[in-house]
């Protein structure tokens, strides 16, 4: 009788034991030994951010108003929009200005970093788009610093849901940073006979600024999420939809490539961009885009572009442009008998949320990391760490030319496969050791009621039903999906693997994060860290690591277009690529990043950690001058910060 009872219970007992064993297997896969020891090298201190006068009195919201057809999933629709950028808005030489989007108020806030000295401080303010039309069907999504009209003054681009981006161009006579500093214009001209907005209803969650066609001018790629529709309009038409599959959706807002055409400076500055229709193959241009990144993989001064799409395939776009014409072709990874389909670059079914380029293995070639949804016992996919397997840039060019992307996916052996519901991702050498760390924003919707079971049920839904928002499970205020996941900070351990040490170093605030920005805000060679939080205040952390190595920090400029005689006005050297070789023969490659990622924008400095290398290092520098001519040079530079002006040669000028 007892034996019969035991036999009847055995299937349940086996199931429980199997589930328990899987839990410990998964837990051991996520954990990497050596985290505590690695964490002792780091120290971050949160500093208070200065807000505009009266900002604390503004109403703070926790949810967005949405189209009635989205009402049942309004917490899902409200899950993005927080962003942050670090750059030099005062033109004093240090990247110690902040621009962030606070979704609680729907405001773009411009302020100074907590580390800014008195001469770099200004009265914080909210960036006002007037007289350009903004209404309650629109919301800012990101702030992207850059010199868009090439006059040597730092501008801002703000992207939105519900309209095309707006450029805030710095006026020549401006002596401080304020609302009056900037001339407003649409990124693409729009007609407004009645003072209202009648243009395209873009819903932008990614942007990229780089010289794509090799003419020496900054071009713009806009990555839209939803297709054109009334997403945030409570009185809008029933014209909204969701993705048409969970793994290969192609009904999103997709890509818009804009080529720089002409510009003016002065007290009424302007810049004109031309839409490059057909720049991206159509089937690669209609995804639900959340991340964009670019790097010159082939040494030709033409950056290739990685597109991170939600609900489907990401794309590596090989740049085959010529001056005055932007054109890309897709390259796809090769599959072996042991390669899962989603680990083939360009064929993955995961949820691409953010992308960054960096030299992870210190061999002088760009690698990539892509954020996906990687929650244990949730949608446990994998982050992508794409390791560059080309022999050199010439080999990369040959392979990309044949449509082959020579990258292998190595997130798991490196310890970075699983972290949570990922978004932005940034490489940075916070110890100046020569090895990169990785900062990744995490978390989705914060509440009190766990709705993972509903999401898992949706994941098994018939694809034919997915595009209809009415078929999605309720997601309302109070519901929670990955809402307490803190920022991830991956550091290399003694074994060579990476461990997420966010808890050990005190960055484990349980609020969903979105944008990550880094900069040497103090001019000491230490990368500080700024983070945007969804439905929470942003955070700024000074890097107070007890022991840091030597560093090389390059500020790379070109003479501004039409600069008056006697004035040293310089514009960022978009697309400049730098390879550093230390005396022991180790290489690192980096670039002036004009604005990659999801919702965070790093400063324009090109930063290298040199470890205990104290002598001069070899610096191989490649750039295009303001007219598009490509140049290269190799020289010896000492550790520290160098300001270089690039024409047909390199001229070092005093640091400001």
């Amino acid at each position: 009788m007892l034996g019969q009872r035991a036999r009847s219970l055995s299937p349940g007992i086996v199931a429980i034991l199997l589930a328990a064993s899987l839990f410990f297997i998964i837990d051991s896969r996520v954990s990497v030994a050596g985290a505590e020891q690695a964490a002792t090298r780091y120290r971050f201190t949160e500093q208070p951010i200065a807000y505009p006068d009266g900002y604390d009195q503004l109403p703070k919201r926790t949810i967005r108003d949405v189209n009635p057809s989205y009402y049942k999933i309004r917490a899902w629709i409200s899950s993005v929009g927080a962003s942050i950028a670090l750059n030099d808005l005062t033109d004093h030489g240090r990247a110690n200005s902040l621009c962030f989007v606070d979704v609680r108020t729907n405001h773009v806030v411009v302020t100074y970093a907590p580390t800014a000295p008195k001469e770099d401080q200004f009265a914080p303010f909210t960036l006002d788009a007037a007289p350009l039309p903004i209404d309650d069907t629109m919301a800012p999504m990101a702030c992207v610093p850059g010199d868009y009209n090439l006059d040597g003054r730092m501008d801002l681009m703000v992207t939105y849901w519900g309209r095309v981006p707006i450029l805030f161009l710095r006026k020549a006579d401006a002596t401080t940073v304020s609302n009056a500093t900037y001339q407003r214009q649409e990124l693409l001209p729009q007609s407004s006979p009645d003072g209202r907005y009648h243009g395209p209803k873009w819903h932008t969650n990614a942007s990229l600024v780089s010289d794509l066609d090799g003419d020496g001018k900054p071009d713009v790629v806009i990555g839209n999420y939803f297709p054109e529709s009334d997403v945030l309009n409570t009185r809008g038409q029933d014209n909204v939809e969701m993705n048409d599959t969970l793994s290969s959706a192609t009904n999103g807002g997709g890509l818009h490539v804009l080529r720089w055409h002409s510009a003016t400076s002065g007290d009424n500055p302007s810049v004109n961009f031309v839409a490059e229709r057909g720049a991206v193959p159509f089937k690669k241009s209609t995804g639900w885009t959340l991340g964009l990144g670019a790097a010159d993989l082939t040494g030709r001064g033409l950056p290739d572009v990685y597109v991170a799409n939600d609900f489907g395939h990401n794309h590596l776009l090989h740049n085959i442009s010529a001056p005055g014409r932007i054109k890309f072709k897709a390259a796809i990874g090769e599959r072996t008998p042991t390669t899962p389909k989603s680990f083939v670059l360009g064929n993955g079914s995961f949820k691409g949320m953010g992308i960054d380029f960096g030299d992870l293995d210190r061999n002088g070639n760009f690698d990539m990391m892509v954020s996906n949804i990687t929650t244990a016992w949730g949608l446990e996919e994998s982050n992508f760490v794409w390791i560059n397997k080309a022999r050199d840039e010439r080999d990369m060019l040959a392979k990309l030319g044949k449509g082959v992307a020579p990258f292998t996916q190595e997130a798991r052996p490196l310890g970075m496969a699983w972290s949570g519901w990922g978004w932005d991702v940034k490489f940075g050498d916070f110890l100046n050791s020569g090895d990169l760390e990785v900062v990744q924003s995490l978390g989705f919707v914060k509440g009190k009621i766990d709705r993972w079971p509903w999401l898992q049920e949706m994941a098994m839904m018939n694809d034919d039903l997915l595009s209809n928002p009415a078929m999605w499970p309720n997601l309302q205020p109070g519901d929670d999906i990955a809402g307490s996941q803190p920022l991830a900070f991956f550091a290399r351990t003694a074994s060579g693997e990476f461990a997420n040490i966010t808890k050990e170093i005190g960055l484990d605030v349980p609020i969903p994060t979105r944008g990550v920005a880094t900069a040497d805000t103090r001019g000491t060679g230490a990368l500080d860290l700024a983070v945007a939080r969804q439905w929470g205040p942003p955070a700024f952390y000074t890097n107070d690591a007890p022991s840091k190595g030597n560093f090389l920090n390059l500020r790379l400029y070109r003479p501004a277009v039409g600069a008056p005689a006697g004035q040293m006005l310089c514009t960022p050297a978009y697309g400049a690529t730098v390879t550093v070789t230390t005396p022991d023969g180790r290489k690192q490659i980096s670039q002036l990043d004009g604005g990659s990622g999801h919702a965070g924008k790093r400063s324009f400095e090109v930063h290298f950690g040199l470890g205990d290398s104290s002598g001069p290092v070899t610096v191989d520098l490649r750039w295009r001058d303001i007219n598009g001519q490509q140049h290269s040079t190799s020289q010896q530079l000492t550790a520290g910060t160098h300001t270089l002006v690039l024409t047909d040669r390199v001229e070092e000028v005093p640091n400001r």
Side-chain angles (χ1 to χ4, degrees):
M1 190 77 167
L2 186 60
Q4 190 175 25
R5 176 66 173 163
R7 283 193 298 273
S8 67
L9 292 174
S10 61
I13 295 171
V14 170
I16 292 171
L17 291 174
L18 178 60
S21 64
L22 284 174
F23 174 82
F24 288 111
I25 290 171
I26 289 175
D27 187 60
S28 65
R29 288 186 308 168
V30 174
S31 302
V32 173
E36 295 83 1
Q37 182 179 2
T40 61
R41 300 174 293 168
Y42 301 86
R43 184 184 303 143
F44 289 93
T45 307
E46 185 170 0
Q47 305 287 350
I49 294 174
Y51 286 84
D53 288 342
Y55 194 83
D56 58 342
Q57 303 301 316
L58 294 176
K60 306 296 191 301
R61 306 189 61 184
T62 58
I63 199 79
R64 294 192 189 278
D65 294 327
V66 299
N67 186 292
S69 295
Y70 279 146
Y71 188 83
K72 67 176 294 188
I73 56 170
R74 57 189 176 130
W76 187 295
I77 305 301
S78 303
S79 64
V80 292
S83 72
I84 199 158
L86 275 166
N87 220 296
D88 175 16
L89 300 185
T90 62
D91 296 332
H92 292 167
R94 289 184 185 173
N96 53 18
S97 305
L98 279 169
C99 183
F100 61 86
V101 175
D102 187 346
V103 296
R104 300 173 303 166
T105 61
N106 254 3
H107 284 324
V108 181
V109 177
V110 181
T111 185
Y112 52 88
T115 53
K118 197 69 176 177
E119 60 269 23
D120 290 351
Q121 297 180 16
F122 50 88
F125 61 97
T126 58
L127 197 60
D128 185 358
L132 297 183
I134 294 284
D135 60 34
D136 61 2
T137 69
M138 305 167 188
M141 289 286 138
C143 182
V144 189
D147 184 4
Y148 293 94
N149 64 335
L150 299 175
D151 68 348
R153 302 173 180 89
M154 192 62 70
D155 312 311
L156 298 169
M157 176 175 70
V158 177
T159 60
Y160 296 85
W161 274 12
R163 69 168 350 271
V164 300
I166 293 175
L167 292 169
F168 296 79
L169 303 176
R170 185 171 176 131
K171 301 173 184 177
D173 64 351
T175 58
T176 186
V177 183
S178 69
N179 258 313
T181 298
Y182 302 101
Q183 175 82 15
R184 281 78 169 156
Q185 74 156 77
E186 311 276 6
L187 181 63
L188 288 177
Q190 305 298 322
S191 175
S192 179
D194 57 359
R196 301 171 63 187
Y197 181 76
H198 299 281
K201 297 173 183 177
W202 288 2
H203 296 92
T204 303
N205 278 123
S207 59
L208 169 68
V209 183
S210 188
D211 177 10
L212 298 176
D213 64 344
D215 67 350
K217 315 298 193 298
D219 308 302
V220 176
V221 183
I222 296 297
N224 291 335
Y225 192 72
F226 295 99
E228 293 189 30
S229 53
D230 295 334
V231 174
L232 298 181
N233 190 347
T234 59
R235 308 166 301 280
Q237 303 178 53
D238 184 13
N239 59 1
V240 297
E241 59 183 318
M242 295 299 288
N243 52 293
D244 53 12
T245 83
L246 278 176
S247 58
S248 57
T250 57
N251 64 326
L255 302 178
H256 293 268
V257 179
L258 308 175
R259 178 173 53 82
W260 193 97
H261 181 265
S262 59
T264 64
S265 59
D267 295 339
N268 292 290
S270 66
V271 61
N272 297 309
F273 290 90
V274 176
E276 286 280 87
R277 306 187 191 283
V280 179
F282 179 76
K283 291 185 178 180
K284 312 299 181 184
S285 68
T286 59
W288 295 69
T289 304
L290 285 173
L292 288 167
D296 180 8
L297 300 177
T298 63
R300 299 170 301 138
L302 294 175
D304 302 294
V305 171
Y306 190 100
V307 184
N309 288 322
D310 201 1
F311 302 120
H313 304 322
N314 296 342
H315 304 297
L316 180 62
L317 302 177
H318 175 42
N319 195 334
I320 55 173
S321 303
R325 172 182 169 274
I326 300 175
K327 191 74 175 176
F328 295 95
K329 61 180 289 187
I332 298 175
E334 294 184 302
R335 188 178 186 185
T336 70
T338 60
T339 307
K341 182 179 75 70
S342 282
F343 286 6
V344 177
L345 197 159
N347 276 338
S349 61
F350 293 168
K351 317 298 181 288
M353 320 284 264
I355 161 69
D356 198 19
F357 284 87
D359 187 358
L360 200 58
D361 50 7
R362 287 193 65 176
N363 64 352
N365 292 322
F366 282 110
D367 308 304
M368 301 178 282
M369 183 165 174
V370 179
S371 290
N372 293 313
I373 301 178
T374 68
T375 298
W377 304 102
L379 296 182
E380 189 172 17
E381 301 172 343
S382 169
N383 294 316
F384 291 144
V385 178
W386 298 113
I387 298 299
N388 187 331
K389 294 299 182 179
R391 293 189 302 273
D392 51 31
E393 291 173 335
R394 182 177 299 179
D395 183 41
M396 176 66 75
L397 177 60
K399 286 183 166 60
L400 292 179
K402 295 177 182 177
V404 175
F407 292 85
T408 59
Q409 206 293 95
E410 300 183 23
R412 188 199 58 77
L414 287 170
M416 292 188 284
W418 301 285
S419 51
W421 192 302
W423 296 91
D424 209 8
V425 59
K426 290 289 186 291
F427 291 114
D429 188 345
F430 292 90
L431 296 180
N432 293 335
S433 65
D435 289 318
L436 296 176
E437 289 84 37
V438 176
V439 185
Q440 184 187 34
S441 55
L442 298 176
F444 187 44
V445 174
K446 190 170 182 64
K448 295 182 179 179
I449 306 171
D450 183 4
R451 294 305 188 194
W452 271 112
W454 286 4
L455 188 62
Q456 297 282 35
E457 182 178 314
M458 185 199 75
M460 297 183 288
M461 186 188 300
N462 188 316
D463 276 355
D464 290 340
L465 304 176
L466 273 172
S467 63
N468 184 355
M471 301 307 298
W472 283 53
N474 289 336
L475 197 59
Q476 297 291 331
D479 293 336
D480 185 281
I481 298 177
S484 295
Q485 293 178 352
L487 189 78
F489 190 99
F490 287 102
R492 199 179 289 270
T493 64
S495 68
E497 295 176 284
F498 287 82
N500 183 3
I501 62 170
T502 189
K503 181 178 180 180
E504 288 81 357
I505 61 177
L507 298 180
D508 57 334
V509 179
I511 302 175
T513 48
R514 291 296 176 267
V516 176
T518 60
D520 177 13
T521 67
R522 293 168 286 175
T524 62
L527 288 181
D528 296 320
L529 176 65
V531 181
R533 294 172 176 153
Q534 189 70 17
W535 304 111
F540 182 92
Y541 298 95
T542 53
N543 177 0
D544 299 321
S547 179
K548 292 184 282 288
N550 293 315
F551 69 93
L552 182 69
N553 213 38
L554 300 180
R555 300 169 179 167
L556 304 177
Y557 299 97
R558 299 170 302 180
V561 173
Q567 288 194 27
M568 189 60 178
L569 292 175
C570 292
T571 187
Y574 285 102
T577 302
V578 185
T579 302
V580 168
T581 307
T582 51
D584 61 3
R586 299 198 68 180
K587 293 181 179 292
Q588 303 176 59
I589 191 170
S590 190
Q591 61 175 339
L592 191 151
D593 179 12
S596 298
H598 167 62
K601 305 299 179 184
R602 61 162 58 88
S603 68
F604 289 163
E605 303 145 323
V606 183
H607 178 267
F608 296 92
L610 303 179
D612 45 5
S613 178
S614 57
V617 295
T618 301
V619 177
D620 293 303
L621 178 59
R622 204 167 51 225
W623 75 97
R624 289 185 183 273
D625 62 31
I626 204 70
N627 297 312
Q629 186 67 37
Q630 190 172 18
H631 306 277
S632 62
T633 186
S634 182
Q635 56 186 261
Q636 299 286 303
L637 290 178
T638 57
T641 297
H642 298 263
T643 300
L644 306 179
V645 178
L646 311 177
T647 54
D648 58 349
R649 62 187 185 278
V650 177
E651 178 185 359
E652 183 160 5
V653 300
N655 295 325
R656 290 181 289 177

